[in-house]
Amino acid sequence: MARAALGLTVRDLAALAGVSHDTIVRFEAGEELKPRTVEAIQRALEVAGVEFIAENGGGVGVRLRKC
């Protein structure tokens, strides 16, 4: 959801996170990845403008940071 909101392709996000295209595909399919890989993907999305929202009664989510 975060990748789509930013208009990034799988290859774009892979490049930003320093991981392979296949890793992003596996991540989006719900496969378990090493914690450091998930952290790299999260950091890349945050740098690109995504804010991760903690569960606050309505569930976890993401939103775009205001510029």
Side-chain angles (χ1 to χ4, degrees):
M1 180 169 56
R3 179 179 62 77
L6 291 168
L8 297 174
T9 66
V10 170
R11 292 193 187 281
D12 293 336
L13 180 54
L16 290 172
V19 300
S20 74
H21 164 273
D22 290 339
T23 298
I24 301 297
V25 171
R26 289 180 21 240
F27 178 72
E28 291 184 351
E31 291 185 31
E32 190 170 332
L33 303 175
K34 293 179 181 177
R36 69 174 181 251
T37 303
V38 175
E39 290 167 6
I41 295 168
Q42 181 174 344
R43 276 193 309 273
L45 290 167
E46 289 171 339
V47 167
V50 168
E51 288 183 356
F52 288 85
I53 305 166
E55 185 168 349
N56 60 1
V60 297
V62 296
R63 66 177 167 222
L64 296 179
R65 187 173 48 244
K66 289 184 180 181
C67 297

